[in-house]
Amino acid sequence: MTQAPSDPVSGPEPTAWRDWSELAAAECVKVPGADDDKYTRGVLGVVTGSAEFPGAAVLGVEAAVRTGLGMVRYLGPRRPSRLVLQARPEVVTVAGRVQAWLIGSGMNSATRTESAGELLAHALDDGTPVVIDAGALDLVGRVTGPAVLTPHAGELATLLTAAGFEVDRRAIAAEPERWAETAADSTGCVVLLKGRVTHVCSPLRDGVRTAARIEAPSSWAATAGSGDVLGGVVGAVVATHADEAGDPARLVALAATGAYVHAWAADRASNRGPIAALDIAAAVPRIIARLASGSAD
Ligand SMILES: NC(=O)C1=CN([C@@H]2O[C@H](COP(=O)(O)OP(=O)(O)OC[C@H]3O[C@@H](n4cnc5c(N)ncnc54)[C@H](OP(=O)(O)O)[C@@H]3O)[C@@H](O)[C@H]2O)[C@@H](O)CC1
Ligand SMILES: Nc1ncnc2c1ncn2[C@@H]1O[C@H](COP(=O)(O)OP(=O)(O)O)[C@@H](O)[C@H]1O
């Protein structure tokens, strides 16, 4: 999974992409112990949703809660806040300390309100680990702590074009490894590029890069809101291991575990038939339980 230091004469070795296994994912699932409380388990701050896309807030929060963590703090406009509380009364909608942030799902950078901009700036400014999706990807230059970007190919094309690369969605789909690596190097963040095969990699540092891939067992997860659910799962896994997120190899492991859980939850929910995004979130606890118990059922 981790690339050896590069040879100064022949240049960097091609990245070794590790297929993320059940064993590797199981190692990133935290089971609460007797001394744990809701704060030690990890609190995820969520700044997602908008008047345009309130449902994305519900989907991400639902998925985070289902993944298992101490608490979710949701901060957003009135309508998504109301919907989030209707779906999940356990969510807290007042500001406070968090171990990680999930931002951007269900937001549109072109129509961002001033108050949304302030919440996003707050999440990005204090060095807390952050998962950045959809309508917050344009703020990648403001990152101050460990960060995972979760673009689909269209969003990655927009991000790379803004950084001066000539690339479109089709080119990224044709060479996802190359463009995920380029984006990681250009932004300094871990990049999780979504698709039937999801690619997760760290920036190259001192000749070392960590890279993992997750091939979904089917394509039923290609449905509206599925990526919003993924954001919640990855956010929860990072929040429960926030003290490790400063190590790029660990951050890749945590993000890859989120993608693994999402892909297999979709498979479990689908049972070879169609699914909605919320069905994926509902199946997440069974995948976490399987990983936590080490049993393959
Ligand atoms: N219920 C809710 O609240 C939901 C809320 N949602 C929220 O909606 C927001 C918009 O997100 P979005 O991905 O739908 O559109 P957007 O980023 O504007 O795409 C721009 C262009 O990119 C391309 N493209 C699109 N998808 C692609 C893909 N998978 N893989 C590759 N390429 C893809 C395509 O370009 P084209 O094919 O035309 O070249 C498209 O025109 C976002 O905040 C999200 O969280 C959604 O999650 C749905 C449920
Ligand atoms: N063909 C596919 N097969 C399996 N999973 C897919 C496929 N296409 C997309 N996905 C997964 O579905 C999710 C879609 O995310 P995204 O494109 O952000 O959708 P949305 O914005 O509607 O939530 C991602 O987790 C991605 O990996």
Side-chain angles (χ1 to χ4, degrees):
M1 173 176 81
T2 299
Q3 186 180 319
S6 59
D7 177 339
V9 178
S10 60
E13 295 285 319
T15 303
W17 286 82
R18 172 180 173 187
D19 287 314
W20 205 241
S21 66
E22 177 157 337
L23 205 63
E27 196 263 319
C28 294
V29 167
K30 195 165 267 176
V31 177
D35 293 336
D36 271 315
D37 57 43
K38 62 179 183 274
Y39 294 115
T40 61
R41 289 190 66 199
V43 179
L44 179 67
V46 179
V47 180
T48 59
S50 56
E52 225 175 329
F53 302 114
V58 178
L59 291 165
V61 165
E62 177 73 21
V65 169
R66 295 288 202 172
T67 304
L69 76 178
M71 190 196 292
V72 172
R73 289 187 191 277
Y74 175 79
L75 305 176
R78 195 168 303 163
R79 180 140 180 261
S81 290
R82 202 173 56 235
L83 294 173
V84 162
L85 282 174
Q86 268 166 15
R88 282 286 160 199
E90 54 270 63
V91 169
V92 170
T93 54
V94 289
R97 263 184 67 197
V98 303
Q99 273 67 53
W101 290 100
L102 163 64
I103 64 174
S105 316
M107 291 179 146
N108 178 348
S109 57
T111 57
R112 184 180 295 142
T113 61
E114 199 180 323
S115 57
E118 282 167 11
L119 286 172
L120 292 171
H122 172 63
L124 287 163
D125 283 353
D126 69 356
T128 304
V130 59
V131 178
I132 308 180
D133 191 26
L137 287 166
D138 64 305
L139 301 175
V140 64
R142 296 189 56 166
V143 162
T144 56
V148 181
L149 314 182
T150 60
H152 58 57
E155 290 162 340
L156 191 63
T158 303
L159 190 147
L160 286 169
T161 302
F165 294 91
E166 273 186 41
V167 65
D168 62 15
R169 181 168 78 78
R170 273 159 207 79
I172 290 172
E175 291 183 284
E177 293 91 348
R178 171 186 170 194
W179 292 110
E181 289 177 28
T182 301
D185 293 344
S186 150
T187 60
C189 301
V190 165
V191 170
L192 182 160
L193 173 58
K194 295 180 278 198
R196 169 79 186 242
V197 181
T198 291
H199 293 83
V200 190
C201 70
S202 66
L204 191 65
R205 292 251 171 81
D206 301 324
V208 177
R209 184 193 307 282
T210 306
R213 97 180 121 211
I214 299 89
E215 179 163 9
S218 80
S219 284
W220 292 107
T223 185
S226 174
D228 305 326
V229 168
L230 175 77
V233 176
V234 175
V237 176
V238 173
T240 51
H241 296 78
D243 53 335
E244 302 166 29
D247 172 357
R250 283 302 287 162
L251 194 53
V252 167
L254 300 174
T257 296
Y260 179 97
V261 169
H262 178 272
W264 286 96
D267 181 67
R268 174 68 78 97
S270 142
N271 201 16
R272 301 186 188 172
I275 45 170
L278 214 43
D279 301 334
I280 303 175
V284 163
R286 280 172 284 161
I287 303 304
I288 297 289
R290 189 177 86 191
L291 294 175
S293 68
S295 74
D297 66 321

